[in-house]
Amino acid sequence: MKNLVFLCIGTTKIIGDSVGPKVGDKLKDLNVNAYVYGNTARQVTALNVDDYAKMIKQRHKDDTVVVIDSALGKIGDVGTIKVTRNGIKPGGAFDKDKQRIGDIGILAVVGDAEGDRMKELKTREESFIVDLADKVVDFVGGLLFKAAAY
């Protein structure tokens, strides 16, 4: 049976980019039956995400990898959760040349991609980010519950 692996990307240094670490904390607190990489104590950021991707490929080659990250999108999508197949490319908001990671991507849309992207990430309200992280955890919890029912 495949294991679930969560890779929660982001940094607490930029409030809008902190959804991933906050989700990682919450998943660890819930003691989910899965591997969880990335939380506020051990953050997965642009500086080390390639190392985590390499390690996950080696240790979890037959497992299902779910990557969670903040994202910028259309103004109407702010506050929503987007799910993608084939994982995600971290740093997409800033055109970083990172490899695609994971089997499933969960993107929390924290701001508008038009205009000053860094300002969008830096000016988010803490309560908005916490609520969005809670939405992601609720969504993930629903997936885990459905998987356990099979």
Side-chain angles (χ1 to χ4, degrees):
M1 183 175 166
K2 286 187 172 189
N3 292 307
L4 267 178
V5 178
F6 292 99
L7 179 63
C8 303
I9 301 173
T11 177
T12 56
K13 292 180 181 178
I14 302 171
I15 189 62
D17 194 34
S18 66
V19 171
K22 290 179 186 311
V23 169
D25 285 345
K26 292 172 186 289
L27 292 175
K28 284 184 175 275
D29 288 346
L30 291 172
N31 207 19
V32 294
N33 187 22
Y35 294 91
V36 179
Y37 298 101
N39 58 30
T40 56
R42 297 190 71 165
Q43 297 175 30
V44 177
T45 68
L47 299 176
N48 63 8
V49 69
D50 293 334
D51 294 333
Y52 274 93
K54 184 177 177 182
M55 178 273 298
I56 286 170
K57 257 187 182 172
Q58 291 172 349
R59 287 190 190 167
H60 302 284
K61 58 183 161 201
D62 295 325
D63 296 335
T64 301
V65 179
V66 179
V67 182
I68 299 168
D69 199 1
S70 299
L72 297 174
K74 296 177 183 173
I75 191 74
D77 290 336
V78 174
T80 64
I81 307 299
K82 301 287 183 179
V83 180
T84 65
R85 291 184 180 174
N86 301 318
I88 64 166
K89 282 185 78 168
F94 294 98
D95 301 320
K96 301 259 185 193
D97 190 25
K98 297 287 182 187
Q99 66 179 335
R100 184 165 293 280
I101 305 170
D103 302 300
I104 299 168
I106 300 177
L107 297 167
V109 183
V110 299
D112 185 10
E114 297 297 319
D116 187 340
R117 294 174 177 193
M118 187 55 77
K119 183 178 178 186
E120 280 292 306
L121 291 173
K122 287 185 173 182
T123 58
R124 298 293 96 190
E125 293 288 330
E126 174 83 20
S127 60
F128 171 74
I129 298 300
V130 169
D131 288 346
L132 203 45
D134 287 340
K135 273 187 185 179
V136 172
V137 172
D138 288 345
F139 177 78
V140 167
L143 292 177
L144 292 171
F145 180 76
K146 287 179 185 175
Y150 284 99

